[in-house]
Amino acid sequence: MCDEADFSARQVGVMVVNFRCPHDTLACLGALSRLFTAPRRIVVVDNGSGDGSTEVLEKELAATSMQPRPELLALPDNLGFSGGNNAALRLLLQDSGCRAFWLLNSDAMPESFALDALCARLNALPRPGACGSLLVHTRGVGRVQCMSGGRLNRFFGTTRHLGGGLDTNAACAIPSATVEARLDYVCGASLLVSRAAVERVGLLDEVYFLYYEDVEWGIRMRRAGFDLGYAARSLVRHKEGGATGATSGPEGAQPVRSRFIDYLMLRNRMWLMRANYPLALPCVIASYLGVAARRCHRGQTDRLGLVVRAAWHGFVGRMGRPAAEEERSA
């Protein structure tokens, strides 16, 4: 039974970050318009796309009859996943009527009851921090990307999505509490976070730019005593890779990573462990030998320098948005 501390979908601020994929973003907004309960506000962030995305979105949003009418926040530069979402969070935090915030990828398509289910599960947690959806691959039928989020290996810094590859019906049969007992972080593709958690632990850490920022947020929330949840009835179809430029792989497979994405994931993994689990660094460093061996096995010997450079930058804390020359060399 709800008490006065509970909130509903009508008190949620939604944020969708666009980077050079306005058609995905508009499709996501179309799905939001079909939600069973409309949120309080929707903020679309154009993350310095510089490709005409802002103009496309301005035109479409001006003509929409959607309620609430999405607000467009155009940033001059690409601030990454964390910076783009933080810009929206700072705006929505000024609205005292927003009691929770839904981070939703631009390449995600929520089903009509997705937000209501997230709210119900987050309200049910003893100390509501964040709650995730049942993410299902867009390609193919009924294959799970993850159940809310995943596990962090505290020796090597690798992550593993919970329920990846399961049939959707099988995943729905697993109790939320069973998933939550194993949950270290909520995937940022669909993440509902309470205002109390944001005000207590702070915004996403922008030094990550892209990848692992949701993992780090989960670590902070857990350490602050907040609970992480899983709403099995919150079904969200996710293209995966559409918002980052990675090429979608076969159903149930990881997207094919560009050199730049490979660099960011390896760099950020090293920094996450150095900052949060420094005693594990010998194991983490040793694991990068395995990374190099796998790149050789895949015929990617041209990435060995990238692996070394990413590990070193993460180790010494060369973080944030990589310089233009680093993007080109990656």
Side-chain angles (χ1 to χ4, degrees), residues 291-293 295-296 300-309:
V291 172
R295 297 299 180 273
C296 290
Q300 297 175 321
T301 54
D302 61 321
R303 296 197 181 192
L304 293 180
L306 178 153
V307 173
V308 173
R309 192 165 63 252

Side-chain angles (χ1 to χ4, degrees), residues 91-110:
L91 176 63
L92 292 171
L93 280 165
Q94 298 174 32
D95 182 348
S96 60
C98 287
R99 301 184 59 195
F101 311 96
W102 189 15
L103 284 68
L104 186 66
N105 268 21
S106 60
D107 57 357
M109 297 283 287

Side-chain angles (χ1 to χ4, degrees), residues 13-24:
V14 183
M15 61 207 72
V16 179
V17 177
N18 174 78
F19 182 68
R20 299 179 179 174
C21 55
H23 299 296
D24 280 348

Side-chain angles (χ1 to χ4, degrees), residues 200 218-226 275-277:
R200 174 71 182 275
I219 292 171
R220 269 190 282 154
M221 287 188 198
R222 285 292 199 194
R223 287 178 175 173
F226 288 100
N276 292 280
Y277 304 101

Side-chain angles (χ1 to χ4, degrees), residues 97 193 319:
V193 59
M319 299 295 290

Side-chain angles (χ1 to χ4, degrees), residues 1-9 11-12 99-100 115-131 180 192 194 227 229 231:
M1 184 174 181
C2 294
D3 59 32
E4 63 183 10
D6 290 335
F7 56 87
S8 71
Q11 296 167 302
V12 171
R99 301 184 59 195
L115 180 54
D116 291 279
L118 281 170
C119 292
R121 189 60 195 169
L122 191 58
N123 282 328
L125 299 177
R127 192 172 182 196
C131 188
E180 291 162 357
L192 182 70
S194 69
D227 297 314

Side-chain angles (χ1 to χ4, degrees), residues 38-258:
R40 179 177 175 85
R41 291 174 67 178
I42 300 172
V43 175
V44 178
V45 179
D46 184 60
N47 214 356
S49 295
D51 66 342
S53 287
T54 299
E55 291 74 19
V56 170
L57 293 170
E58 280 180 340
K59 179 180 178 181
E60 294 296 328
L61 296 185
T64 187
S65 59
M66 181 178 175
Q67 293 296 326
R69 182 184 294 274
E71 309 161 46
L72 180 61
L73 179 60
L75 303 180
D77 299 302
N78 179 10
L79 303 182
F81 178 87
S82 48
N85 277 293
N86 281 349
L89 277 169
R90 291 187 184 98
L91 176 63
L92 292 171
L93 280 165
Q94 298 174 32
D95 182 348
S96 60
C98 287
R99 301 184 59 195
F101 311 96
W102 189 15
L103 284 68
L104 186 66
N105 268 21
S106 60
D107 57 357
M109 297 283 287
E111 295 293 314
S112 60
F113 199 67
L115 180 54
D116 291 279
L118 281 170
C119 292
R121 189 60 195 169
L122 191 58
N123 282 328
L125 299 177
R127 192 172 182 196
C131 188
S133 301
L134 175 60
L135 292 170
V136 178
H137 291 280
T138 300
R139 291 189 175 189
V141 178
R143 288 294 166 187
V144 172
Q145 178 193 345
C146 76
M147 298 186 295
S148 183
R151 297 278 290 173
L152 171 69
N153 186 310
R154 289 171 175 76
F155 291 100
F156 302 114
T158 54
T159 57
R160 182 173 62 84
H161 286 337
L162 296 179
L166 284 179
D167 176 80
T168 302
N169 291 330
C172 289
I174 300 174
S176 290
T178 301
V179 175
E180 291 162 357
R182 304 178 60 208
L183 198 59
D184 291 325
Y185 64 91
V186 174
C187 178
S190 176
L191 185 160
L192 182 70
V193 59
S194 69
R195 173 182 280 270
V198 176
E199 291 178 340
R200 174 71 182 275
V201 308
L203 303 177
L204 290 157
D205 191 340
E206 296 185 21
V207 303
Y208 289 89
F209 186 71
L210 182 66
Y211 293 114
Y212 274 89
E213 59 278 279
D214 49 3
V215 180
E216 191 275 339
W217 219 16
I219 292 171
R220 269 190 282 154
M221 287 188 198
R222 285 292 199 194
R223 287 178 175 173
F226 288 100
D227 297 314
L228 304 181
Y230 165 53
R233 296 178 63 202
S234 176
L235 181 66
V236 175
R237 303 188 187 281
H238 185 213
K239 185 183 295 184
E240 193 179 15
T244 63
T247 304
S248 296
E251 178 190 348
Q254 293 290 329
V256 179
R257 297 175 188 166
S258 68

